[in-house]
Amino acid sequence: MDRRRVNGPPGGTAPPVYLPPGRTAAAPGRTRGPNEIRKIFLKTGLTPSAAGSAYLELETPSINHSNSLLDRTPALKLTCTVHGPRPLPRSSPFSPRLLLSTRVKFAPFAARQRRGYIPDSGERDLAAHLETALRGILIGGRWPKSGVDVIVTVLEGEEDCPRDALATGNQNGRTGGWGMMSILSGCITVASAALTDAGIDCVDIVTGGIAAIVRQPAAPAQLVLDPCPPDHEEIIAACVIGYLQSRDEVTETWAKGNITALSDGKGTTKMGFDTLIDHAVEAAMAARRVLVEALKEGTEAKIQNSQAKPPGRAMGT
Amino acid sequence: MSLPHLAYPGLPLGPSSLYIPGPGTHLHTASSTIHASLAGQPILTTPPSKDSKPTISIPRLLPSPTHTPVLSEKVSNVNTLPSVGSVVLGRVTRVRGRGVEVGIAVVYPVGVDWGALAGEGGTVGGGQEGGCVCADEWAAVIRKEDVRATEKEKVVTAEGFRVGDVVRGVVISLGDQSNYYLSTARNELGVIMAKSEAGHTMHPISWNEFRDPVTGLTEGRKVAKPF
């Protein structure tokens, strides 16, 4: 008996046997308008052990033509915890500012393809992008000699319909990597909510927005906000930004794909990088309205609790 | 202009020509507007003199206790940062020849009114109004020369502190990479709670001695003057 590791059951287990994929229904496609983002659910203060926390969920369109798991459309569920500001480890050098460290981790069950416990390159990439987005909003000088950890856990972050992945036989699925961009956009919004919930000084709240140039078969290229990768036959380019609305500043940009100026078929509008950014800003502004409402709700609850208690709960900084 | 009921980071609160930014707010220099930097209720503090401008501040809110597994209503998983001048309570973790290592557990805001606290009559349990219990211990050190104000060169740290003592000190510097620097060089600062070698809680009998009520033995400490 190995006492140092988590042991498997003593009697052995039988591997699960899955049914072969049946008929493949037609892809549902996008049911929203091109300028419409998915509905967002956002709530702060759900993790008791953290100094600040938030949970974000993107609406899953309900298309239940069959009960098959294969027809399940991807959803996005993120939870973010903020620990700190807390003392730096003894070995680290003196820092007059707040040190930010970010981590993005997919839960093992987050996607069809299970991920290990050690962050892979995609997760580290997301964490680096998230750090850039958040560093721009922190007022670090107010917390000398301390560090804050922002940890985003992706509870559900399927990039693909399982059906599509099976049809192409590709492990990454048909949409190969585009889903990471909408996950980043959600990460930025949820981390900003959790930072505010933790009471860390920020110059503004940052929200993520994403826009993409997509093309359906036998149709001209089209600009859409908040694309859901399996909805589209082909994504030509996409761009995520972290946007501060009250200062009109962008803290993070991540663009991918072939962003040459494309004509939309009528030969009038060009879809270049600037247009893509403008639309991503639009998506971020829409997400901000949800974030502000969620923050107000969370603050209201905290105030009510502090009033129920004797004075002295609210503390000066 | 009236302040909004609830503020969130980035919300403009007023022009800097009319107000002064206080804690929880910041000045956006490009637009010379005061913006909120915390979520909470903005408070307007009227100035002491008529010439100066009122200050906008937002007090930091603790997490909702319904979500917090609190042992006491003052304990939360949020830290308060010790700053220069704030009075703190800590526990001695190590006594060295050159100084005493302390873990800061409670931080009082800068400028706490000790006269008002004296009225509550407690040295240990009482008089903690306004003190914030930290979720994590902040490492601090009382250097040998900061233990007392007189005869600094004759201080022997082992005669003034023992591991496990609860100490009241004042932060004199943010210190080096790991430790805050504390000072106990005032009458009301020093050890406020100590256990004897036999393990009994002792009571202070003079400025440098505690007595064990059970065995009757005395031990040397840098004693904080009880209020």
Side-chain angles (χ1 to χ4, degrees), chain A residues 45 48 50 85-87 92 142 144-145 196 198-199 201-204 246-247 303 305 310 313 315 317, chain B residues 6 9-10 23 25-26 28 37-38 41 60 62 64 67 73 77 79 81 132 136-137 174 176-177 179:
Chain A
R86 57 185 176 188
S92 58
R142 298 207 177 161
K145 289 181 69 173
T196 310
D201 293 78
C202 297
V203 293
D204 198 357
S246 77
R247 298 164 79 92
I303 290 171
N305 275 309
R313 278 205 63 90
M315 45 185 188
T317 41
Chain B
L6 283 181
T25 63
H26 68 279
H28 186 214
S37 54
L38 290 178
Q41 281 176 308
R60 198 171 170 220
L62 289 180
S64 333
H67 297 312
E73 65 185 37
N77 44 22
N79 276 319
L81 202 64
C132 303
D136 302 292
E137 279 197 349
L174 294 189
D176 54 14
Q177 53 175 359
N179 291 316

mmCIF file of all heavy atoms in Angstrom, chain A residues 45 48 50 85-87 92 142 144-145 196 198-199 201-204 246-247 303 305 310 313 315 317, chain B residues 6 9-10 23 25-26 28 37-38 41 60 62 64 67 73 77 79 81 132 136-137 174 176-177 179:
data_model
loop_
_atom_site.group_PDB
_atom_site.id
_atom_site.type_symbol
_atom_site.label_atom_id
_atom_site.label_comp_id
_atom_site.label_asym_id
_atom_site.label_seq_id
_atom_site.Cartn_x
_atom_site.Cartn_y
_atom_site.Cartn_z
ATOM 1 N N GLY A 45 -18.767 37.066 -4.208
ATOM 2 C CA GLY A 45 -18.777 36.630 -2.805
ATOM 3 C C GLY A 45 -19.338 35.247 -2.576
ATOM 4 O O GLY A 45 -20.048 35.025 -1.608
ATOM 5 N N PRO A 48 -16.413 31.121 0.429
ATOM 6 C CA PRO A 48 -16.243 31.648 1.780
ATOM 7 C C PRO A 48 -14.789 31.804 2.191
ATOM 8 O O PRO A 48 -14.456 32.713 2.945
ATOM 9 C CB PRO A 48 -16.947 30.625 2.666
ATOM 10 C CG PRO A 48 -17.387 29.535 1.810
ATOM 11 C CD PRO A 48 -17.050 29.822 0.398
ATOM 12 N N ALA A 50 -12.157 32.666 0.513
ATOM 13 C CA ALA A 50 -11.334 33.643 -0.195
ATOM 14 C C ALA A 50 -11.670 35.050 0.265
ATOM 15 O O ALA A 50 -12.764 35.316 0.763
ATOM 16 C CB ALA A 50 -11.561 33.531 -1.694
ATOM 17 N N PRO A 85 -4.844 41.025 -0.187
ATOM 18 C CA PRO A 85 -3.388 41.133 -0.146
ATOM 19 C C PRO A 85 -2.817 40.430 1.076
ATOM 20 O O PRO A 85 -3.358 40.572 2.162
ATOM 21 C CB PRO A 85 -3.151 42.632 -0.041
ATOM 22 C CG PRO A 85 -4.388 43.266 -0.495
ATOM 23 C CD PRO A 85 -5.484 42.344 -0.162
ATOM 24 N N ARG A 86 -1.772 39.668 0.865
ATOM 25 C CA ARG A 86 -1.178 38.953 1.986
ATOM 26 C C ARG A 86 0.330 39.105 1.962
ATOM 27 O O ARG A 86 0.879 39.508 0.937
ATOM 28 C CB ARG A 86 -1.599 37.497 1.965
ATOM 29 C CG ARG A 86 -1.266 36.742 0.703
ATOM 30 C CD ARG A 86 -1.882 35.365 0.832
ATOM 31 N NE ARG A 86 -1.706 34.568 -0.357
ATOM 32 C CZ ARG A 86 -2.297 33.393 -0.519
ATOM 33 N NH1 ARG A 86 -3.094 32.927 0.396
ATOM 34 N NH2 ARG A 86 -2.100 32.700 -1.616
ATOM 35 N N PRO A 87 0.988 38.786 3.083
ATOM 36 C CA PRO A 87 2.428 39.009 3.136
ATOM 37 C C PRO A 87 3.154 38.210 2.066
ATOM 38 O O PRO A 87 2.742 37.096 1.733
ATOM 39 C CB PRO A 87 2.819 38.520 4.534
ATOM 40 C CG PRO A 87 1.573 38.365 5.289
ATOM 41 C CD PRO A 87 0.455 38.258 4.339
ATOM 42 N N SER A 92 11.193 36.489 -0.935
ATOM 43 C CA SER A 92 11.040 37.429 -2.047
ATOM 44 C C SER A 92 11.624 38.793 -1.685
ATOM 45 O O SER A 92 11.612 39.190 -0.519
ATOM 46 C CB SER A 92 9.562 37.578 -2.392
ATOM 47 O OG SER A 92 8.872 38.022 -1.269
ATOM 48 N N ARG A 142 -0.763 51.275 -2.975
ATOM 49 C CA ARG A 142 -1.491 51.308 -1.699
ATOM 50 C C ARG A 142 -1.266 50.062 -0.865
ATOM 51 O O ARG A 142 -1.686 50.002 0.277
ATOM 52 C CB ARG A 142 -2.991 51.472 -1.973
ATOM 53 C CG ARG A 142 -3.249 52.775 -2.680
ATOM 54 C CD ARG A 142 -4.617 53.318 -2.425
ATOM 55 N NE ARG A 142 -4.725 54.605 -3.092
ATOM 56 C CZ ARG A 142 -5.867 55.179 -3.376
ATOM 57 N NH1 ARG A 142 -6.991 54.603 -3.069
ATOM 58 N NH2 ARG A 142 -5.877 56.349 -3.970
ATOM 59 N N PRO A 144 1.965 48.159 -0.158
ATOM 60 C CA PRO A 144 3.366 47.773 -0.264
ATOM 61 C C PRO A 144 3.618 46.434 0.431
ATOM 62 O O PRO A 144 2.885 46.055 1.340
ATOM 63 C CB PRO A 144 4.098 48.921 0.441
ATOM 64 C CG PRO A 144 3.095 49.502 1.361
ATOM 65 C CD PRO A 144 1.758 49.304 0.727
ATOM 66 N N LYS A 145 4.651 45.756 -0.005
ATOM 67 C CA LYS A 145 5.108 44.522 0.616
ATOM 68 C C LYS A 145 4.030 43.442 0.672
ATOM 69 O O LYS A 145 4.000 42.642 1.606
ATOM 70 C CB LYS A 145 5.590 44.780 2.042
ATOM 71 C CG LYS A 145 6.876 45.540 2.130
ATOM 72 C CD LYS A 145 7.288 45.719 3.547
ATOM 73 C CE LYS A 145 7.699 44.422 4.169
ATOM 74 N NZ LYS A 145 8.266 44.583 5.503
ATOM 75 N N THR A 196 -12.613 43.484 -6.996
ATOM 76 C CA THR A 196 -13.421 44.508 -6.343
ATOM 77 C C THR A 196 -14.066 43.946 -5.082
ATOM 78 O O THR A 196 -14.134 44.621 -4.055
ATOM 79 C CB THR A 196 -14.490 45.015 -7.310
ATOM 80 O OG1 THR A 196 -13.868 45.341 -8.537
ATOM 81 C CG2 THR A 196 -15.189 46.227 -6.760
ATOM 82 N N ALA A 198 -12.818 41.748 -3.179
ATOM 83 C CA ALA A 198 -11.785 41.617 -2.151
ATOM 84 C C ALA A 198 -11.394 42.962 -1.552
ATOM 85 O O ALA A 198 -10.626 43.006 -0.606
ATOM 86 C CB ALA A 198 -10.548 40.941 -2.740
ATOM 87 N N GLY A 199 -11.906 44.053 -2.120
ATOM 88 C CA GLY A 199 -11.592 45.367 -1.566
ATOM 89 C C GLY A 199 -10.181 45.821 -1.887
ATOM 90 O O GLY A 199 -9.526 46.437 -1.058
ATOM 91 N N ASP A 201 -7.775 48.206 -4.137
ATOM 92 C CA ASP A 201 -7.942 49.460 -4.854
ATOM 93 C C ASP A 201 -7.681 49.293 -6.342
ATOM 94 O O ASP A 201 -6.622 48.820 -6.749
ATOM 95 C CB ASP A 201 -6.983 50.513 -4.315
ATOM 96 C CG ASP A 201 -7.339 50.910 -2.900
ATOM 97 O OD1 ASP A 201 -7.001 50.139 -1.998
ATOM 98 O OD2 ASP A 201 -7.955 51.960 -2.719
ATOM 99 N N CYS A 202 -8.658 49.707 -7.158
ATOM 100 C CA CYS A 202 -8.531 49.636 -8.610
ATOM 101 C C CYS A 202 -8.912 50.992 -9.194
ATOM 102 O O CYS A 202 -9.762 51.687 -8.644
ATOM 103 C CB CYS A 202 -9.467 48.590 -9.209
ATOM 104 S SG CYS A 202 -9.116 46.926 -8.681
ATOM 105 N N VAL A 203 -8.315 51.355 -10.322
ATOM 106 C CA VAL A 203 -8.694 52.620 -10.937
ATOM 107 C C VAL A 203 -10.038 52.495 -11.653
ATOM 108 O O VAL A 203 -10.758 53.473 -11.817
ATOM 109 C CB VAL A 203 -7.632 53.133 -11.927
ATOM 110 C CG1 VAL A 203 -6.368 53.507 -11.201
ATOM 111 C CG2 VAL A 203 -7.340 52.135 -13.004
ATOM 112 N N ASP A 204 -10.377 51.300 -12.075
ATOM 113 C CA ASP A 204 -11.624 51.103 -12.808
ATOM 114 C C ASP A 204 -11.916 49.610 -12.799
ATOM 115 O O ASP A 204 -11.086 48.810 -12.373
ATOM 116 C CB ASP A 204 -11.477 51.626 -14.251
ATOM 117 C CG ASP A 204 -12.829 51.848 -14.916
ATOM 118 O OD1 ASP A 204 -13.854 51.541 -14.282
ATOM 119 O OD2 ASP A 204 -12.850 52.320 -16.050
ATOM 120 N N SER A 246 -14.633 53.879 -18.030
ATOM 121 C CA SER A 246 -14.674 55.250 -17.498
ATOM 122 C C SER A 246 -13.413 56.025 -17.854
ATOM 123 O O SER A 246 -13.400 57.242 -17.800
ATOM 124 C CB SER A 246 -14.892 55.225 -15.992
ATOM 125 O OG SER A 246 -13.708 54.892 -15.333
ATOM 126 N N ARG A 247 -12.342 55.334 -18.204
ATOM 127 C CA ARG A 247 -11.124 56.024 -18.616
ATOM 128 C C ARG A 247 -10.896 55.911 -20.110
ATOM 129 O O ARG A 247 -9.963 56.522 -20.630
ATOM 130 C CB ARG A 247 -9.916 55.436 -17.888
ATOM 131 C CG ARG A 247 -9.984 55.586 -16.391
ATOM 132 C CD ARG A 247 -8.995 54.654 -15.742
ATOM 133 N NE ARG A 247 -7.653 55.183 -15.787
ATOM 134 C CZ ARG A 247 -7.116 55.915 -14.828
ATOM 135 N NH1 ARG A 247 -7.814 56.205 -13.759
ATOM 136 N NH2 ARG A 247 -5.894 56.356 -14.917
ATOM 137 N N ILE A 303 -23.202 45.793 2.938
ATOM 138 C CA ILE A 303 -23.602 46.922 3.781
ATOM 139 C C ILE A 303 -24.689 46.488 4.740
ATOM 140 O O ILE A 303 -24.668 46.802 5.929
ATOM 141 C CB ILE A 303 -24.045 48.103 2.904
ATOM 142 C CG1 ILE A 303 -22.837 48.695 2.192
ATOM 143 C CG2 ILE A 303 -24.738 49.161 3.739
ATOM 144 C CD1 ILE A 303 -23.180 49.714 1.149
ATOM 145 N N ASN A 305 -25.188 43.585 5.937
ATOM 146 C CA ASN A 305 -24.599 42.754 6.980
ATOM 147 C C ASN A 305 -23.843 43.576 7.997
ATOM 148 O O ASN A 305 -23.871 43.276 9.188
ATOM 149 C CB ASN A 305 -23.657 41.735 6.352
ATOM 150 C CG ASN A 305 -24.401 40.515 5.906
ATOM 151 O OD1 ASN A 305 -25.160 39.946 6.678
ATOM 152 N ND2 ASN A 305 -24.220 40.121 4.677
ATOM 153 N N PRO A 310 -22.829 45.196 15.328
ATOM 154 C CA PRO A 310 -22.464 46.424 16.035
ATOM 155 C C PRO A 310 -21.421 47.212 15.249
ATOM 156 O O PRO A 310 -20.752 46.653 14.375
ATOM 157 C CB PRO A 310 -21.884 45.908 17.349
ATOM 158 C CG PRO A 310 -21.691 44.466 17.210
ATOM 159 C CD PRO A 310 -22.561 44.001 16.109
ATOM 160 N N ARG A 313 -17.421 47.248 12.169
ATOM 161 C CA ARG A 313 -17.145 46.259 11.134
ATOM 162 C C ARG A 313 -16.535 46.899 9.896
ATOM 163 O O ARG A 313 -15.669 46.329 9.280
ATOM 164 C CB ARG A 313 -18.409 45.511 10.759
ATOM 165 C CG ARG A 313 -18.700 44.400 11.723
ATOM 166 C CD ARG A 313 -19.540 43.326 11.078
ATOM 167 N NE ARG A 313 -18.854 42.695 9.972
ATOM 168 C CZ ARG A 313 -18.080 41.627 10.080
ATOM 169 N NH1 ARG A 313 -17.856 41.105 11.245
ATOM 170 N NH2 ARG A 313 -17.531 41.087 9.024
ATOM 171 N N MET A 315 -14.054 49.061 8.101
ATOM 172 C CA MET A 315 -12.763 49.522 8.583
ATOM 173 C C MET A 315 -12.156 50.510 7.604
ATOM 174 O O MET A 315 -12.422 50.479 6.417
ATOM 175 C CB MET A 315 -11.822 48.351 8.805
ATOM 176 C CG MET A 315 -11.810 47.328 7.694
ATOM 177 S SD MET A 315 -10.773 45.959 8.157
ATOM 178 C CE MET A 315 -10.763 45.080 6.622
ATOM 179 N N THR A 317 -9.077 52.247 5.529
ATOM 180 C CA THR A 317 -7.915 51.671 4.864
ATOM 181 C C THR A 317 -6.685 52.461 5.243
ATOM 182 O O THR A 317 -6.782 53.644 5.505
ATOM 183 C CB THR A 317 -8.091 51.680 3.341
ATOM 184 O OG1 THR A 317 -8.680 52.910 2.977
ATOM 185 C CG2 THR A 317 -8.936 50.538 2.909
ATOM 186 N N LEU B 6 -24.149 54.134 -3.845
ATOM 187 C CA LEU B 6 -23.174 53.054 -3.944
ATOM 188 C C LEU B 6 -22.140 53.411 -4.994
ATOM 189 O O LEU B 6 -22.494 53.882 -6.074
ATOM 190 C CB LEU B 6 -23.854 51.747 -4.363
ATOM 191 C CG LEU B 6 -24.646 50.993 -3.308
ATOM 192 C CD1 LEU B 6 -25.224 49.731 -3.916
ATOM 193 C CD2 LEU B 6 -23.784 50.652 -2.123
ATOM 194 N N PRO B 9 -15.418 50.768 -8.375
ATOM 195 C CA PRO B 9 -14.200 51.348 -8.934
ATOM 196 C C PRO B 9 -14.433 51.981 -10.296
ATOM 197 O O PRO B 9 -15.075 51.395 -11.166
ATOM 198 C CB PRO B 9 -13.267 50.138 -9.053
ATOM 199 C CG PRO B 9 -13.731 49.203 -8.017
ATOM 200 C CD PRO B 9 -15.212 49.387 -7.923
ATOM 201 N N GLY B 10 -13.931 53.189 -10.445
ATOM 202 C CA GLY B 10 -14.049 53.879 -11.724
ATOM 203 C C GLY B 10 -15.177 54.886 -11.784
ATOM 204 O O GLY B 10 -15.230 55.692 -12.703
ATOM 205 N N PRO B 23 -9.153 57.956 1.449
ATOM 206 C CA PRO B 23 -8.980 56.506 1.253
ATOM 207 C C PRO B 23 -10.138 55.913 0.445
ATOM 208 O O PRO B 23 -11.289 56.303 0.631
ATOM 209 C CB PRO B 23 -8.990 55.948 2.674
ATOM 210 C CG PRO B 23 -8.691 57.090 3.557
ATOM 211 C CD PRO B 23 -9.173 58.318 2.862
ATOM 212 N N THR B 25 -10.532 56.232 -2.738
ATOM 213 C CA THR B 25 -10.760 56.985 -3.969
ATOM 214 C C THR B 25 -9.399 57.332 -4.570
ATOM 215 O O THR B 25 -8.372 57.186 -3.928
ATOM 216 C CB THR B 25 -11.529 58.289 -3.720
ATOM 217 O OG1 THR B 25 -10.729 59.123 -2.890
ATOM 218 C CG2 THR B 25 -12.848 58.036 -3.049
ATOM 219 N N HIS B 26 -9.413 57.779 -5.797
ATOM 220 C CA HIS B 26 -8.164 58.237 -6.404
ATOM 221 C C HIS B 26 -8.463 59.370 -7.367
ATOM 222 O O HIS B 26 -9.608 59.582 -7.766
ATOM 223 C CB HIS B 26 -7.464 57.091 -7.131
ATOM 224 C CG HIS B 26 -8.203 56.612 -8.355
ATOM 225 N ND1 HIS B 26 -9.267 55.748 -8.270
ATOM 226 C CD2 HIS B 26 -8.036 56.886 -9.662
ATOM 227 C CE1 HIS B 26 -9.723 55.515 -9.482
ATOM 228 N NE2 HIS B 26 -9.000 56.189 -10.348
ATOM 229 N N HIS B 28 -8.026 61.024 -10.924
ATOM 230 C CA HIS B 28 -7.674 60.776 -12.327
ATOM 231 C C HIS B 28 -7.150 62.091 -12.880
ATOM 232 O O HIS B 28 -7.911 63.034 -13.097
ATOM 233 C CB HIS B 28 -8.892 60.289 -13.095
ATOM 234 C CG HIS B 28 -8.571 59.891 -14.495
ATOM 235 N ND1 HIS B 28 -9.454 60.080 -15.523
ATOM 236 C CD2 HIS B 28 -7.475 59.319 -15.035
ATOM 237 C CE1 HIS B 28 -8.900 59.644 -16.650
ATOM 238 N NE2 HIS B 28 -7.707 59.167 -16.366
ATOM 239 N N SER B 37 -12.222 53.983 -5.994
ATOM 240 C CA SER B 37 -11.363 52.842 -6.298
ATOM 241 C C SER B 37 -11.771 51.609 -5.499
ATOM 242 O O SER B 37 -11.161 50.566 -5.635
ATOM 243 C CB SER B 37 -9.894 53.180 -6.055
ATOM 244 O OG SER B 37 -9.689 53.670 -4.773
ATOM 245 N N LEU B 38 -12.795 51.729 -4.682
ATOM 246 C CA LEU B 38 -13.328 50.571 -3.975
ATOM 247 C C LEU B 38 -14.840 50.557 -4.169
ATOM 248 O O LEU B 38 -15.436 51.578 -4.516
ATOM 249 C CB LEU B 38 -13.046 50.660 -2.477
ATOM 250 C CG LEU B 38 -11.615 50.509 -1.972
ATOM 251 C CD1 LEU B 38 -11.582 50.679 -0.468
ATOM 252 C CD2 LEU B 38 -11.061 49.159 -2.359
ATOM 253 N N GLN B 41 -19.885 52.604 0.143
ATOM 254 C CA GLN B 41 -20.654 53.829 0.285
ATOM 255 C C GLN B 41 -19.717 55.016 0.440
ATOM 256 O O GLN B 41 -18.950 55.068 1.406
ATOM 257 C CB GLN B 41 -21.548 53.737 1.526
ATOM 258 C CG GLN B 41 -22.804 52.933 1.315
ATOM 259 C CD GLN B 41 -23.595 52.800 2.591
ATOM 260 O OE1 GLN B 41 -23.064 52.403 3.624
ATOM 261 N NE2 GLN B 41 -24.859 53.127 2.541
ATOM 262 N N ARG B 60 -13.584 50.550 3.517
ATOM 263 C CA ARG B 60 -13.506 49.198 2.990
ATOM 264 C C ARG B 60 -14.513 48.317 3.718
ATOM 265 O O ARG B 60 -14.669 48.414 4.927
ATOM 266 C CB ARG B 60 -12.088 48.681 3.222
ATOM 267 C CG ARG B 60 -11.724 47.515 2.384
ATOM 268 C CD ARG B 60 -10.230 47.231 2.547
ATOM 269 N NE ARG B 60 -9.938 45.970 1.930
ATOM 270 C CZ ARG B 60 -9.104 45.081 2.447
ATOM 271 N NH1 ARG B 60 -8.487 45.338 3.555
ATOM 272 N NH2 ARG B 60 -8.892 43.952 1.819
ATOM 273 N N LEU B 62 -15.988 44.619 4.899
ATOM 274 C CA LEU B 62 -15.561 43.242 5.135
ATOM 275 C C LEU B 62 -16.477 42.307 4.359
ATOM 276 O O LEU B 62 -17.599 42.673 4.019
ATOM 277 C CB LEU B 62 -15.645 42.923 6.631
ATOM 278 C CG LEU B 62 -14.614 43.616 7.498
ATOM 279 C CD1 LEU B 62 -14.806 43.218 8.942
ATOM 280 C CD2 LEU B 62 -13.223 43.269 7.035
ATOM 281 N N SER B 64 -19.197 39.508 3.528
ATOM 282 C CA SER B 64 -20.448 39.235 4.222
ATOM 283 C C SER B 64 -20.260 38.076 5.184
ATOM 284 O O SER B 64 -19.766 37.028 4.801
ATOM 285 C CB SER B 64 -21.537 38.864 3.217
ATOM 286 O OG SER B 64 -21.262 39.454 1.997
ATOM 287 N N HIS B 67 -21.247 34.430 4.543
ATOM 288 C CA HIS B 67 -20.397 33.549 3.747
ATOM 289 C C HIS B 67 -19.100 33.219 4.459
ATOM 290 O O HIS B 67 -18.274 32.527 3.930
ATOM 291 C CB HIS B 67 -20.056 34.208 2.410
ATOM 292 C CG HIS B 67 -21.260 34.455 1.573
ATOM 293 N ND1 HIS B 67 -22.204 33.488 1.352
ATOM 294 C CD2 HIS B 67 -21.678 35.549 0.921
ATOM 295 C CE1 HIS B 67 -23.154 33.987 0.585
ATOM 296 N NE2 HIS B 67 -22.857 35.240 0.319
ATOM 297 N N GLU B 73 -16.860 38.008 15.282
ATOM 298 C CA GLU B 73 -17.333 38.904 14.229
ATOM 299 C C GLU B 73 -16.235 39.821 13.701
ATOM 300 O O GLU B 73 -16.360 40.411 12.651
ATOM 301 C CB GLU B 73 -18.499 39.734 14.737
ATOM 302 C CG GLU B 73 -18.099 40.663 15.857
ATOM 303 C CD GLU B 73 -19.304 41.384 16.406
ATOM 304 O OE1 GLU B 73 -20.368 40.745 16.479
ATOM 305 O OE2 GLU B 73 -19.188 42.567 16.735
ATOM 306 N N ASN B 77 -11.407 37.003 6.502
ATOM 307 C CA ASN B 77 -10.285 36.553 5.693
ATOM 308 C C ASN B 77 -9.716 37.698 4.864
ATOM 309 O O ASN B 77 -9.169 37.503 3.810
ATOM 310 C CB ASN B 77 -10.701 35.384 4.807
ATOM 311 C CG ASN B 77 -12.039 35.621 4.173
ATOM 312 O OD1 ASN B 77 -12.451 36.758 4.050
ATOM 313 N ND2 ASN B 77 -12.710 34.569 3.780
ATOM 314 N N ASN B 79 -7.160 41.072 4.943
ATOM 315 C CA ASN B 79 -6.053 41.638 5.689
ATOM 316 C C ASN B 79 -6.147 43.154 5.757
ATOM 317 O O ASN B 79 -6.646 43.787 4.841
ATOM 318 C CB ASN B 79 -4.737 41.282 5.010
ATOM 319 C CG ASN B 79 -4.247 39.929 5.426
ATOM 320 O OD1 ASN B 79 -4.330 39.572 6.590
ATOM 321 N ND2 ASN B 79 -3.748 39.177 4.477
ATOM 322 N N LEU B 81 -3.468 46.291 6.151
ATOM 323 C CA LEU B 81 -2.030 46.494 6.014
ATOM 324 C C LEU B 81 -1.526 47.363 7.164
ATOM 325 O O LEU B 81 -2.076 48.434 7.407
ATOM 326 C CB LEU B 81 -1.769 47.172 4.680
ATOM 327 C CG LEU B 81 -0.378 47.021 4.100
ATOM 328 C CD1 LEU B 81 -0.122 45.568 3.788
ATOM 329 C CD2 LEU B 81 -0.265 47.845 2.853
ATOM 330 N N CYS B 132 -8.374 45.675 13.631
ATOM 331 C CA CYS B 132 -8.758 44.728 12.595
ATOM 332 C C CYS B 132 -7.886 43.489 12.707
ATOM 333 O O CYS B 132 -6.660 43.588 12.728
ATOM 334 C CB CYS B 132 -8.588 45.345 11.213
ATOM 335 S SG CYS B 132 -9.522 46.845 11.050
ATOM 336 N N ASP B 136 -3.772 36.825 7.776
ATOM 337 C CA ASP B 136 -2.425 36.260 7.779
ATOM 338 C C ASP B 136 -1.560 37.066 8.735
ATOM 339 O O ASP B 136 -1.777 38.251 8.919
ATOM 340 C CB ASP B 136 -1.798 36.340 6.381
ATOM 341 C CG ASP B 136 -2.632 35.630 5.354
ATOM 342 O OD1 ASP B 136 -2.716 34.408 5.432
ATOM 343 O OD2 ASP B 136 -3.206 36.321 4.478
ATOM 344 N N GLU B 137 -0.584 36.401 9.316
ATOM 345 C CA GLU B 137 0.344 37.108 10.202
ATOM 346 C C GLU B 137 1.369 37.859 9.366
ATOM 347 O O GLU B 137 1.950 37.303 8.442
ATOM 348 C CB GLU B 137 1.069 36.109 11.103
ATOM 349 C CG GLU B 137 0.265 35.692 12.298
ATOM 350 C CD GLU B 137 1.135 35.047 13.361
ATOM 351 O OE1 GLU B 137 2.299 34.750 13.075
ATOM 352 O OE2 GLU B 137 0.621 34.842 14.476
ATOM 353 N N LEU B 174 8.348 50.350 7.386
ATOM 354 C CA LEU B 174 7.921 49.177 6.624
ATOM 355 C C LEU B 174 9.021 48.129 6.604
ATOM 356 O O LEU B 174 8.787 46.990 6.232
ATOM 357 C CB LEU B 174 7.575 49.572 5.190
ATOM 358 C CG LEU B 174 6.376 50.487 5.017
ATOM 359 C CD1 LEU B 174 6.035 50.603 3.552
ATOM 360 C CD2 LEU B 174 5.170 49.971 5.758
ATOM 361 N N ASP B 176 12.496 45.860 6.076
ATOM 362 C CA ASP B 176 13.222 45.278 4.958
ATOM 363 C C ASP B 176 12.289 44.388 4.156
ATOM 364 O O ASP B 176 11.072 44.483 4.260
ATOM 365 C CB ASP B 176 14.450 44.531 5.479
ATOM 366 C CG ASP B 176 14.073 43.506 6.534
ATOM 367 O OD1 ASP B 176 12.876 43.209 6.650
ATOM 368 O OD2 ASP B 176 14.960 43.018 7.242
ATOM 369 N N GLN B 177 12.878 43.472 3.385
ATOM 370 C CA GLN B 177 12.070 42.660 2.480
ATOM 371 C C GLN B 177 11.008 41.840 3.192
ATOM 372 O O GLN B 177 9.922 41.646 2.670
ATOM 373 C CB GLN B 177 12.981 41.742 1.683
ATOM 374 C CG GLN B 177 13.912 40.911 2.551
ATOM 375 C CD GLN B 177 14.707 39.935 1.735
ATOM 376 O OE1 GLN B 177 14.552 39.868 0.538
ATOM 377 N NE2 GLN B 177 15.560 39.169 2.385
ATOM 378 N N ASN B 179 10.414 41.848 7.067
ATOM 379 C CA ASN B 179 9.903 42.263 8.375
ATOM 380 C C ASN B 179 9.500 43.729 8.420
ATOM 381 O O ASN B 179 10.173 44.580 7.851
ATOM 382 C CB ASN B 179 10.974 42.042 9.440
ATOM 383 C CG ASN B 179 11.231 40.581 9.682
ATOM 384 O OD1 ASN B 179 10.292 39.799 9.783
ATOM 385 N ND2 ASN B 179 12.483 40.205 9.733
#
